[in-house]
Amino acid sequence: MRKLVVSSAMLASSALFLASACAPVIVPAPVVTAPKFPEFVVPVVPAEFSGTAAAINESRGWAFLQSGDLKTAEHEFMAALRNDPRFFPAEVSLGYLDLARKDVKSALPRFDTVLDRRHDDVSALFGRGQALLAMSRDAEALTAFESVLAVDPGQTEVRRRVDVLKFRVLEQEIAHARQAAKAGHPDEAAQAYEAAIAGQPETPFLYRELAAIERDQGKLDEAIAHYRKSVALDPADARSLAQIGEILEDRGDFDGAERAYAEALEIEPGNGLEEKLERLHSRAALDKLPAEYRAIEEAPQVTRADLAALIGIRLGPLLQPATTTDAALITDARNSWALTWIMAVTRAGVMEPFANHAFQPRAVVRRADLAQASARLLRRVGALHPAAAKRWESARVQFSDLAPGHLAYPAASAVVAAAVMTPGPDNSFQPSRAVTGAEAIAAIAKLGSLADLK
């Protein structure tokens, strides 16, 4: 038998062949010139991992990821974790791989896992923001991107995203707030406005709209504070000043309300501000009048003192010039609250004292009495408007209970023709019926209107 003689050289070459046949094939990492995902932020490998097998896998994985070979990229990132489970950049990279696959639900927990240990990792923060943005969780995404800027203010692209997101989130919160308010959910609306203000604290109209919600809720102190904040941010905000004026007026702070209305009117004339100021002035003047005067409107019947005060206060210009001095002889009005106006109406001849120089300020006013006083005032109005005066002076109104020969008829006919007083049921005048406070005020108001008095 022949022996097989094998040289050492042959054995060596055979061993080398077998070894090379069993070794894994290392695929060269691609050279990326046009990244598939240029917005992704590559994790920073800490110095402690520099040059390790895990770091090499990480670098190769990103090359494959940006070339679009997601499967090989995943293999490299997983290999990095097998080589060193502490190598957290690979976990971040796997999160970006999920984003590339549009699997945002898997990506988010990967970023969160890293951020639980390293809350300032820029790559993980940016990736988290990207995932939240893809899930339409804009407010949370904004927080994540702002955290990136807090760590690295030089991220200009992130800053641009933050500006866009702030505007988008603000729009969403405002829309939510307005919808909640419209649906009758003021607490929810207020919370939405507060969230919007937290994101954009220098936006005046947010404070104004929140204040409107609070005013409806009866939270007036908070409403005033937010209206004032709106004015502080926008000195031309006449609307907020007007709202402040209304709240203060309702509270009885007439001086404060007047200042607010006046400031609003100076900024933006119109919008009923002149009427509000006029009403405020009238109300303030009314509050300075005696309590007896303020009670007239609700009175079931008025007295001669009440009527004298109504005429003297509301129709003062019609009492000039005086026509008589007999008022000085009145003997029973010295202690009356309406003395000033009793003197004025008697001096003008609009209301006459009785034969014994008594005015009888507590006597009840009957409809015939009101007609007599009103007719005398109509004559003064007629001097200002002769054409109108002819119509009511020539009228001959028919009453079911007052004949033309009655002493009170001329006055009754004139005041009804001028619409100062109105007839009762069945066209009756009811001359002896007591006059209520509301009736007296209505008659005086009509006379003021005819005389063009404001």
Side-chain angles (χ1 to χ4, degrees):
M1 177 183 292
R2 293 179 59 187
K3 287 185 178 181
L4 181 61
V5 180
V6 182
S7 68
S8 60
M10 291 177 64
L11 289 171
S13 63
S14 298
L16 181 61
F17 174 78
L18 291 171
S20 62
C22 297
V25 178
I26 304 299
V27 179
V31 177
V32 180
T33 56
K36 293 286 186 180
F37 308 100
E39 72 276 14
F40 288 179
V41 177
V42 180
V44 175
V45 176
E48 61 186 288
F49 297 110
S50 180
T52 63
I56 294 171
N57 291 130
E58 172 78 0
S59 178
R60 285 171 54 79
W62 272 91
F64 285 110
L65 173 61
Q66 291 291 16
S67 70
D69 186 349
L70 304 186
K71 184 175 181 180
T72 306
E74 181 179 22
H75 174 78
E76 293 291 343
F77 294 146
M78 295 299 292
L81 286 174
R82 284 195 300 271
N83 282 325
D84 191 339
R86 299 173 303 126
F87 190 74
F88 67 88
E91 188 71 35
V92 178
S93 300
L94 286 167
Y96 279 106
L97 184 69
D98 289 331
L99 287 181
R101 289 172 169 164
K102 301 188 184 305
D103 185 4
V104 292
K105 291 185 178 179
S106 298
L108 187 59
R110 291 189 185 278
F111 296 127
D112 287 341
T113 297
V114 174
L115 289 170
D116 285 343
R117 292 176 291 171
R118 294 177 175 267
H119 66 276
D120 59 351
D121 186 276
V122 169
S123 180
L125 285 169
F126 185 85
R128 186 174 195 274
Q130 288 283 82
L132 291 166
L133 201 58
M135 298 168 74
S136 298
R137 292 161 62 177
D138 293 353
E140 294 173 85
L142 174 60
T143 300
F145 289 135
E146 286 179 328
S147 298
V148 172
L149 292 178
V151 178
D152 184 2
Q155 293 276 355
T156 55
E157 177 61 23
V158 177
R159 189 171 299 280
R160 185 190 67 80
R161 284 172 179 257
V162 165
D163 291 340
V164 171
L165 268 179
K166 278 185 176 180
F167 183 75
R168 186 190 303 174
V169 168
L170 178 63
E171 283 187 323
Q172 292 170 351
E173 287 168 341
I174 292 172
H176 177 200
R178 289 173 176 170
Q179 185 176 2
K182 187 176 181 180
H185 304 302
D187 291 336
E188 182 181 345
Q191 289 176 0
Y193 277 119
E194 287 166 357
I197 287 171
Q200 294 288 335
E202 302 301 311
T203 307
F205 78 87
L206 294 177
Y207 295 95
R208 183 171 64 242
E209 294 190 16
L210 173 58
I213 298 293
E214 291 168 332
R215 184 179 179 186
D216 289 342
Q217 290 179 297
K219 299 177 180 178
L220 300 183
D221 289 335
E222 292 90 337
I224 288 176
H226 285 130
Y227 279 130
R228 292 196 188 283
K229 180 64 175 179
S230 179
V231 173
L233 292 170
D234 178 13
D237 185 4
R239 290 171 59 189
S240 289
L241 285 167
Q243 294 298 314
I244 291 170
E246 289 182 5
I247 294 174
L248 294 178
E249 182 180 356
D250 290 342
R251 285 182 160 184
D253 182 359
F254 302 129
D255 291 338
E258 182 178 2
R259 285 193 298 271
Y261 286 145
E263 288 178 34
L265 185 60
E266 186 175 349
I267 295 168
E268 186 178 320
N271 296 323
L273 291 171
E274 294 90 343
E275 291 80 1
K276 289 179 180 179
L277 269 174
E278 184 178 340
R279 182 186 69 240
L280 189 62
H281 291 154
S282 299
R283 184 169 178 176
L286 178 62
D287 279 0
K288 294 177 182 178
L289 292 171
E292 291 88 345
Y293 179 85
R294 297 197 300 273
I296 292 175
E297 187 171 8
E298 303 297 328
Q301 56 187 28
V302 295
T303 65
R304 282 170 58 81
D306 296 334
L307 182 57
L310 280 173
I311 295 171
I313 292 170
R314 300 196 178 195
L315 303 178
L318 289 180
L319 303 183
Q320 303 299 328
T323 59
T324 179
T325 58
D326 289 345
L329 300 177
I330 290 176
T331 58
D332 61 347
R334 180 174 298 178
N335 296 322
S336 173
W337 65 272
L339 175 62
T340 299
W341 301 293
I342 290 172
M343 299 292 286
V345 295
T346 54
R347 202 175 272 126
V350 172
M351 293 181 71
E352 295 180 341
F354 294 95
N356 57 357
H357 302 293
F359 186 80
Q360 298 183 16
R362 296 182 181 178
V364 173
V365 175
R366 309 293 173 179
R367 278 175 58 86
D369 302 325
L370 178 59
Q372 293 284 6
S374 297
R376 294 182 183 117
L377 288 165
L378 270 178
R379 285 195 286 272
R380 290 172 173 252
V381 173
L384 302 173
H385 304 286
K390 289 182 180 179
R391 178 176 56 81
W392 63 69
E393 288 174 356
S394 61
R396 293 294 181 267
V397 179
Q398 299 295 316
F399 299 110
S400 60
D401 60 348
L402 195 65
H406 193 284
L407 184 63
Y409 175 81
S413 178
V415 296
V416 169
V420 173
M421 295 178 68
T422 57
D426 300 324
N427 206 38
S428 62
F429 186 74
Q430 303 174 339
S432 61
R433 180 172 65 78
V435 175
T436 67
E439 282 181 295
I441 288 174
I444 300 305
K446 179 63 178 180
L447 286 164
S449 176
L450 292 172
D452 297 324
L453 298 178
K454 294 184 178 180

